Each structure stands twice: as structure tokens, then as C-alpha cells.
Amino acid sequence: MDLALPAITTLQECTDFSKTVLPFIPQLRALPGKLLESWSSPQDLMKIYLSTNPLISAFAIALFLFPIFLIASEINKNYSQVDRFWSLLPTLFNAHFVTYAHLLDLPTKRLDTLLAVSTVWSLRLTFNYWRKGGYEKGSEDYRWALLRERISPPLFFVFNVLFISLAQSILLMSVATPTYVLLLASKFTGNRLGTSDLIISRVILGFVVLEWFADQQQWDFQHAKKTFQKTGKASPKFQPDDLNRGFLTKGLYAWSRHPNFAAEQAIWILFYQWSCFTTGTLWNWTVVGATSYIILFRASTWFTEKISAGKYPQYKEYQNRVGMFLPRLLG
């Protein structure tokens, strides 16, 4: 088991990429062969699991999912395969790291707290995706269809291979990599929660609550708009002018055009910062996950707003008046 975790002697070394990641990359090449040799023996599979660095096995799982997402999307011509697992995979990767720590009898109080918070995040997002029909047969993010109209089929296939199926699978694993750092740190910090643990976990939950309110406000508005379009009757919550405008500008949306997206990015920044506070470092290599998440949200929101600006005449004025993610406190 000692070969599965790095030989580190200080808390700060838990964030040293050259000591905690690079030495274990050869395990990734050997892993498929080991699994094929032992696939029929649960005991041997458990030995492989415990003797493989947990970060390497997490990356291997992400690579395993890649062809599944790719084949499913091409067969069904539905490119929301990763979307259906978006709310689940980061927490499952976190659960993988926490389970590994339990199996090695490492201190897990901080890790258990993180997993509980991550599970709450998953429950909120999964519920919202479900009630919007995301798990219904044939359901697909409308942006994929629009993108298919703008680029050639061969180019979209390459985009599906490199980004939709592969890069997004790795991204959903990478946002959970701070948990690997916390796993390593548990050997030095022991089974206790510090002030930073309590503050960060509660602030993350606060952002999940903010997402819930933002989701509910958008849900109420969209249902009121559909009813108004069918019957001509406005909801008590919204004036006819609000519904005719076509998009929500009240509540949290009076302060941010995408308050749920803003909270979502903050959550994964805080998970990353959790690893920094615990190890007493200003930054570490797991920032790649949080940064990539922000870049993706920035790009997808830009594309979404380009569509909205073309659909709703008043949307550009709304863009000038309200910030995309953060409130415009001046002007």
C-alpha cells in the first residue's frame, strides 16, 4: 500500500506535483493490463485498487468514461451524454478519494465533511436538471443543436471527441483533485476540523442555497411565461411586461444575469481553496481544475448570451445594466 501514496514528510509537500503526481504516472500505463488479468477476482481487483494511487485511478475512470460518452452520443445523435452526469461525477470522484482514505484507515473527518457538502451540491443540481426534463429520453441541451448548424459535421465530430466527450470527462475529475491533496494532508493534520474547514464548508453550502433560490426564481418565471403565452393570463408574481420581455430581470437576476452560474464557479474555487488553507500554501496544481471550470462557464455563458441577445430585443440593454456574474455596484 505504501507504493500507492507519495513518500512525503511535510504538510506543504502534499501539494508538490513532482512528488505527489509524476512518480505515479507509470501506474496508468500498467493499470489496463492488471484489470484485464484480474477482472474475475474481486479480491485481486481490491488489491489493485488499494495499490494504485487514487489520483491515477480517478484519471483512469475519466478516460474509461470518454469512449462511453462518445459512442452513446454518436449512436443517438444526442450530445448531452456528459450533461446527464455533470451533477454526479465530481461527487463520485470525491467519494472515491474519501473511500480510499477510509480503506487505508487515514483520518477522514475533514474528508467526510467535504463529501457531505459535495453531496448536497449534487442533490441540488441533479434535482434541478431532472425537473427541467434533462433525464427524459431525447432531451438535449439546445446549444449543441445550434452549434451543429454552425459548423460542418466532420468538425463537430472532432469537437465531440476532443471536448464534449474527452475534455469534459477530465474536467469533472479535475475539479475533485483538491480532495486528493486533502487526503494526503490528513496524515499530518489528524482527525480534527479547524476554523477554515468550518468556514469554507458553510460558505459552500451558502452558495448552494443561493443556487437553489436562483433556480427556483427562474423556474417560476419560465412557468409563468409559458402560461401567459398560452392563456394570456399573467402570474401574480410577474407583470405582463416582464413576461413579454421573455427573460427574468427581478430577484437575484436584478443583480446578476447568471447568479446560479456565479455561485457554481465560487463553489469549486472554494473547494480548491480548501486544499490551500489546509496545506498552508498560497496555491497548488489543483487550481487547474477550478480554472478550467471557470473558463468553460465563461465560454458557454458567452454563447448562451449571444443566442439570447438575438432572440430578445431588450437583452442587450440588460447586459449593459447588469453584470454577467458579479453585481455592478458602481454605475
Side-chain angles (χ1 to χ4, degrees):
M1 306 309 170
D2 293 338
L3 296 177
L5 293 179
I8 48 180
T9 57
T10 67
L11 186 59
Q12 287 70 33
E13 286 184 346
C14 295
T15 64
D16 189 334
F17 188 82
S18 66
K19 293 183 178 180
T20 62
V21 180
L22 291 181
F24 302 98
I25 291 178
Q27 289 186 344
L28 184 63
R29 294 194 292 268
L31 189 57
K34 290 182 178 180
L35 292 174
L36 287 174
E37 291 176 1
S38 306
W39 67 272
S40 61
S41 172
Q43 290 183 337
D44 289 344
L45 290 174
M46 178 58 73
K47 289 179 181 178
I48 293 172
Y49 180 74
L50 292 174
S51 61
T52 303
N53 178 273
L55 181 67
I56 297 302
S57 52
F59 189 71
I61 293 169
L63 293 180
F64 174 77
L65 292 172
F66 154 56
I68 296 175
F69 290 142
L70 177 63
I71 293 170
S73 64
E74 289 298 331
I75 289 176
N76 295 288
K77 295 304 176 183
N78 184 316
Y79 298 90
S80 281
Q81 306 304 321
V82 178
D83 298 341
R84 291 179 171 84
F85 291 86
W86 194 278
S87 64
L88 304 173
L89 286 177
T91 294
L92 290 176
F93 283 117
N94 281 333
H96 154 65
F97 290 122
V98 176
T99 299
Y100 192 89
H102 275 279
L103 291 173
L104 264 60
D105 291 323
L106 295 172
T108 59
K109 197 168 184 179
R110 177 181 293 108
L111 293 169
D112 291 338
T113 300
L114 182 148
L115 181 57
V117 172
S118 183
T119 300
V120 173
W121 170 84
S122 281
L123 290 172
R124 194 281 309 174
L125 187 55
T126 302
F127 170 74
N128 195 56
Y129 189 72
W130 166 79
R131 71 172 174 174
K132 292 194 297 183
Y135 294 110
E136 293 179 2
K137 186 177 180 180
S139 174
E140 183 186 41
D141 189 325
Y142 70 95
R143 291 171 296 185
W144 295 137
L146 290 172
L147 191 60
R148 288 200 300 273
E149 294 175 359
R150 301 184 182 196
I151 61 178
S152 66
L155 186 58
F156 189 83
F157 175 74
V158 173
F159 181 73
N160 184 21
V161 172
L162 297 180
F163 176 73
I164 299 177
S165 299
L166 177 59
Q168 289 193 128
S169 298
I170 296 173
L171 170 64
L172 294 175
M173 183 280 297
S174 67
V175 294
T177 53
T179 311
Y180 172 64
V181 173
L182 293 177
L183 181 157
L184 300 177
S186 66
K187 296 197 298 183
F188 300 94
T189 59
N191 212 12
R192 60 182 178 81
L193 293 177
T195 303
S196 62
D197 300 309
L198 299 175
I199 292 175
I200 293 175
S201 60
R202 282 154 179 75
V203 173
I204 291 174
L205 289 175
F207 277 118
V208 173
V209 171
L210 189 150
E211 287 182 309
W212 172 270
F213 280 108
D215 290 342
Q216 190 61 45
Q217 289 175 5
Q218 191 65 251
W219 176 263
D220 291 341
F221 176 79
Q222 294 299 331
H223 273 258
K225 185 173 74 169
K226 288 179 182 177
T227 301
F228 181 69
Q229 290 171 342
K230 289 180 180 180
T231 66
K233 295 181 180 179
S235 165
K237 290 184 178 180
F238 304 101
Q239 298 297 319
D241 287 346
D242 297 324
L243 300 172
N244 280 322
R245 186 188 304 111
F247 56 92
L248 181 58
T249 62
K250 292 186 174 181
L252 292 170
Y253 293 83
W255 297 91
S256 168
R257 302 200 301 270
H258 304 278
N260 47 352
F261 291 176
E264 181 72 7
Q265 294 169 82
I267 285 170
W268 293 103
I269 291 171
L270 284 167
F271 274 120
Y272 159 67
Q273 285 295 324
W274 205 338
S275 70
C276 293
F277 276 105
T278 300
T279 56
T281 54
L282 293 176
W283 73 282
N284 64 66
W285 61 268
T286 66
V287 70
V288 172
T291 302
S292 300
Y293 206 76
I294 292 170
I295 292 171
L296 175 60
F297 264 77
R298 183 79 186 187
S300 64
T301 304
W302 171 83
F303 186 49
T304 301
E305 291 209 324
K306 188 175 182 181
I307 298 169
S308 298
K311 185 177 181 181
Y312 304 115
Q314 299 179 54
Y315 198 80
K316 289 184 178 180
E317 185 276 330
Y318 178 56
Q319 288 177 304
N320 293 331
R321 181 166 48 85
V322 179
M324 178 183 285
F325 300 125
L326 300 178
R328 289 179 179 167
L329 301 179
L330 299 175

